[in-house]
Amino acid sequence: MATIGSVTRQIAALEISAKQNGATRPQPTGTSHLKKGSQSNQNIQKLLSKFAQPNPLPSGIQKASSTNTIASKAVRPPSPTKPANPPPAPTPQQTTQKKVDIGRYDGGFEIDNETRGEKVHGEAAEHLALDSSVARYRPTREWHLTDFDIGRPLGKGKFGRVYMVRTKAEPHYILALKCLYKSEIVASRVEKQIRREIEIQQNLRHPNVLRLYGYFHDEKRIFLMLEFAGKGELYRQLTKHGCFTEKRSSRYIDQMADALIYLHGKHVIHRDIKPENLLLGINGELKIGDFGWSVHAPGNRRTTLCGTLDYLPPEMVEGKEHSEKVDYWALGVLTYEFICGAPPFEDLRGHNGECRIFSDIAVPLTIELQRRNFLQLLQYDPEKRLPLTDVRKHPWIVKYRSKTSTATARAS
Ligand code: AMP
C-alpha cells in the first residue's frame, strides 16, 4: 500500500543514493507508532483533498524547475564511506507516489531569490558549503533544486520558506524542502551552529524525530530535504484546542520520552523542547522537528522575552553546567502544558532571575496524584528527575498506550 504516510516513512529516501541518478527503494524503519491499514487510507484521502485545494499562482511566476539558478555539478562517484548494504529494488507501490497531489507552487523560491540574500565569502562560506553528497558519514547522492517538483508552501521560517516537494526521479518521494539564506544565517551569527545541527540531524533515525534526508546548497542558499510532516505544527493544534485530552497528552509524552531516550543514547541533548519545535506526521505521530538552527519565533509563536524561560530548567537559567536532564525538565513542562494549556512558569516571564520558583511548583488541583508523581520530572535537582525509562513505564503512560504502539520503536 502506498500512502503519504508511507512516503514519509520511506526514509532512506534520499540518504540512499550514492548511486548516480539512482532511484532506490526506501529502507523500512521502526514505525510502530504509526497506524496502519485503513486508518492510513483514510488519512491519505484527507491529505489528498487538503492538498488538492488550489493555491493561486501569481501571474508571471513559473515553476521553479524552469527558473532555478543552481548550476549543474559533476556527478560524484559513490563514497567509500557509504553503508555497504545495496539498496533494495523498487516496488510497484512506489510509483503511486506520483499521484499524490503536492499542491500548487507559488514561485516563492524565485521571488525570494530575486530580492533576498547575498553571496557569502570566506570562512562563513566554508561553514555553509553544505552538501550531503560529501558528508563524512552517510553521504547521499548529489541533489539540485531541479531534481524536485515543487508544490504548495508549508510555511515560512526566519531564514527562508518551506515547500512540499516530490522528487522527479522514481519513486517520487514526497518531502518538505526548506530553504535557508546563507547571508541571513551569517548575520545572525549561527553558521557554526547550523552546520553542527544539520550534521547531527542527518544521522538520527527514530519515528518521532523528523528525518533530514539530505541537503545541498547554491551560492546564496542551503536546502534541507526534510521528512514531510503531513499534519503540521503541534503548536497550532495546541493553540486550537487550548489543551489536549489525557489520552492525547499521554501518547505524545510517550513518544517524546521514547525519542529522548534515543537521542540521549546518541549523546544528543536537545535543549529546546517546546511545542513550537514539534511537528505531526500524517498519522498524528509526534516528530521532534527542530535541532537548534531555527532559533527564531515567526508568526504567532511564543515571544521570548526571557529566552524560552517557559521551558528552561533551573540549571540553565542559573548558568550552571547542564546535562541531558535539561530535556527531562522540558518534558515535564510539556506534560503540564499539554494538560493544563499553559506552561507552569508562564506567569513568571519577565521576573528576571527568580529561580527559587523552581523548587516550589504549584501543581494545580485538577491534576491527580498519579500525575503529580509524573511531574517529578520538574525537580529542581536534575538528579532527582524521573528517569525517562520510568516515564515510559508510568501508569498514566501505560494506560493510554495503543496496542499498535509498542513505543520501543527504534529506527534502524
Ligand atoms: P521552520 O523554518 O522550521 O520554522 O518552518 C516554517 C514552517 O514550515 C513551520 O512552522 C511549519 O509549518 C512548516 N514546516 C517546516 N518543516 C516542515 C515539515 N518537515 N513538514 C511540514 N511542514 C513543515
Side-chain angles (χ1 to χ4, degrees):
M1 175 185 56
T3 66
I4 282 195
S6 71
V7 179
T8 58
R9 303 194 297 270
Q10 283 168 3
I11 334 310
L14 310 162
E15 75 186 288
I16 30 180
S17 34
K19 257 190 172 177
Q20 300 111 13
N21 300 326
T24 59
R25 180 178 162 174
Q27 307 286 338
T29 59
T31 56
S32 57
H33 288 292
L34 307 178
K35 291 178 192 165
K36 297 204 165 70
S38 59
Q39 179 66 48
S40 279
N41 280 330
Q42 283 168 13
N43 284 332
I44 185 92
Q45 288 310 324
K46 275 192 224 156
L47 197 77
L48 287 173
S49 47
K50 181 177 172 192
F51 287 115
Q53 285 167 11
N55 187 13
L57 185 71
S59 57
I61 303 300
Q62 300 300 315
K63 284 232 166 200
S65 53
S66 61
T67 56
N68 89 70
T69 55
I70 296 176
S72 212
K73 291 191 249 170
V75 177
R76 209 175 292 276
S79 158
T81 56
K82 183 179 176 282
N85 294 343
T91 60
Q93 73 173 28
Q94 290 164 341
T95 58
T96 62
Q97 316 301 342
K98 201 167 186 182
K99 292 182 188 158
V100 173
D101 187 344
I102 58 171
R104 217 159 195 207
Y105 181 46
D106 62 5
F109 280 151
E110 288 71 33
I111 294 170
D112 271 1
N113 209 29
E114 294 274 309
T115 55
R116 195 170 171 175
E118 291 150 25
K119 203 175 159 185
V120 298
H121 302 277
E123 204 184 334
E126 280 170 37
H127 280 305
L128 297 176
L130 286 158
D131 184 339
S132 54
S133 70
V134 294
R136 209 167 129 216
Y137 303 107
R138 299 183 192 268
T140 72
R141 58 164 274 180
E142 196 164 336
W143 291 98
H144 310 108
L145 195 52
T146 46
D147 291 324
F148 305 92
D149 289 320
I150 307 178
R152 68 180 312 232
L154 295 172
K156 281 185 192 170
K158 183 179 177 188
F159 298 122
R161 306 186 194 217
V162 188
Y163 282 90
M164 185 177 184
V165 302
R166 176 173 45 220
T167 59
K168 286 180 184 166
E170 287 189 354
H172 306 295
Y173 292 108
I174 303 288
L175 299 166
L177 191 64
K178 179 168 172 173
C179 175
L180 309 170
Y181 275 86
K182 290 179 179 179
S183 55
E184 295 175 16
I185 292 168
V186 173
S188 297
R189 299 184 180 178
V190 289
E191 59 269 27
K192 283 187 194 163
Q193 183 189 343
I194 286 199
R195 191 189 172 94
R196 192 183 66 239
E197 303 297 347
I198 287 175
E199 285 167 355
I200 289 172
Q201 194 172 359
Q202 203 206 4
N203 287 297
L204 300 176
R205 277 140 187 75
H206 185 279
N208 301 114
V209 174
L210 195 79
R211 280 288 304 273
L212 172 62
Y213 297 119
Y215 41 89
F216 55 95
H217 71 116
D218 64 11
E219 282 190 340
K220 285 164 61 175
R221 303 169 290 186
I222 297 167
F223 292 93
L224 305 181
M225 296 155 61
L226 293 162
E227 177 180 4
F228 172 60
K231 287 198 173 157
E233 296 172 331
L234 181 136
Y235 189 62
R236 191 167 294 173
Q237 292 289 317
L238 192 56
T239 309
K240 183 175 157 195
H241 296 286
C243 61
F244 294 142
T245 61
E246 297 262 334
K247 182 173 164 184
R248 190 169 178 183
S249 304
S250 165
R251 287 189 174 174
Y252 284 155
I253 296 303
D254 191 18
Q255 293 168 32
M256 278 298 302
D258 197 37
L260 288 175
I261 290 169
Y262 168 81
L263 293 177
H264 295 169
K266 296 223 163 236
H267 308 288
V268 175
I269 308 172
H270 192 284
R271 291 189 189 91
D272 201 16
I273 299 291
K274 54 183 176 177
E276 292 90 325
N277 288 340
L278 303 176
L279 291 166
L280 296 171
I282 183 57
N283 289 308
E285 72 280 20
L286 182 146
K287 306 267 177 191
I288 300 180
D290 204 317
F291 280 78
W293 60 65
S294 294
V295 287
H296 57 282
N300 61 350
R301 294 183 179 195
R302 199 187 308 274
T303 51
T304 52
L305 186 58
C306 295
T308 47
L309 181 61
D310 293 345
Y311 280 78
L312 266 194
E315 60 270 32
M316 285 180 82
V317 173
E318 292 168 1
K320 292 181 184 163
E321 279 190 8
H322 59 268
S323 67
E324 79 283 0
K325 301 276 167 51
V326 297
D327 289 340
Y328 291 34
W329 174 276
L331 190 64
V333 178
L334 203 64
T335 310
Y336 190 104
E337 180 162 8
F338 283 172
I339 296 165
C340 302
F345 312 117
E346 192 171 47
D347 292 342
L348 295 162
R349 274 188 294 180
H351 291 222
N352 194 18
E354 292 190 24
C355 296
R356 60 193 162 77
I357 59 161
F358 292 117
S359 54
D360 183 24
I361 295 156
V363 178
L365 292 175
T366 52
I367 295 186
E368 63 200 56
L369 194 63
Q370 194 180 60
R371 239 181 295 123
R372 282 196 198 200
N373 178 36
F374 189 80
L375 288 171
Q376 290 302 309
L377 285 165
L378 293 176
Q379 284 284 337
Y380 179 88
D381 179 354
E383 296 312 313
K384 288 188 183 159
R385 291 176 198 154
L386 192 65
L388 295 177
T389 45
D390 290 355
V391 168
R392 302 214 52 236
K393 285 187 229 151
H394 194 281
W396 184 66
I397 293 292
V398 175
K399 179 178 171 188
Y400 294 112
R401 185 176 293 149
S402 72
K403 285 182 187 137
T404 52
S405 170
T406 62
T408 49
R410 293 277 188 282
S412 54

